[in-house]
Amino acid sequence: DCHNPQKPMFNRAVCPIIDEGGQNVIGAAGRRILEKEYLQKWKYSYGFKSGSNLYGLWFAKQRILETSRVILVEGMLDVAKLHELGYTETVGLFGVNVTPNHIDILNRMGVMNVSILLDGDEAVELALKRNTEKLKDYFNVRALKCPKDKDPDELSGEELKCLLRNN
């Protein structure tokens, strides 16, 4: 019953998490309407592990293969916003950390250029440095940070264009 407030996905926009091959839903995550609180339900069911998957990869795969570039963002709504604005090579990390599995996935796809675009809060400074160190041995890396206290999904098309120029 989707109207039962005792259900974890009540009053949430729910995003399916699809495997790299585009064949299976391996998890789901919900975001409360009008809030920035995430709830990941079925986090490990159906094969979903955040460090082993990139959100939106199935939808971004063709563009990534064509351009050898990727834009990494934190969350699902960031991915949706950038795709909406034409940056269809964008995938989500399910957080701020790049893992060895993420690097393997990008290497398999022949990625050469990585832009990592994280939220504009203080906590991401260390994450940007750490991720740049992890990625620089494999790819050309651009570390980008949103303006203070903004997420990529909150930026205008012009603000994103300015940040991603030359990507």
Side-chain angles (χ1 to χ4, degrees), residues 124-142:
V124 303
E125 288 292 333
L126 182 58
L128 273 173
K129 288 178 184 175
R130 191 172 51 241
N131 288 329
T132 300
E133 284 299 312
K134 289 179 192 175
L135 293 165
K136 73 178 185 177
D137 291 336
Y138 304 94
F139 314 103
N140 300 317
V141 182
R142 291 181 60 216

Side-chain angles (χ1 to χ4, degrees), residues 62-123:
Q62 187 60 42
R63 182 72 176 152
I64 293 169
L65 291 171
E66 290 169 0
T67 63
S68 300
R69 71 177 180 224
V70 68
I71 300 169
L72 299 175
V73 294
E74 292 180 46
M76 298 167 295
L77 294 182
D78 300 330
V79 172
K81 174 71 177 255
L82 270 76
H83 276 247
E84 178 184 330
L85 293 172
Y87 300 100
T88 55
E89 67 274 23
T90 304
V91 296
L93 295 169
F94 297 105
V96 297
N97 294 314
V98 173
T99 69
N101 288 329
H102 294 145
I103 292 170
D104 289 344
I105 291 167
L106 298 176
N107 270 325
R108 273 198 326 265
M109 296 180 72
V111 168
M112 295 173 64
N113 299 301
V114 174
S115 293
I116 182 160
L117 174 61
L118 300 181
D119 297 354
D121 53 51
E122 291 179 29

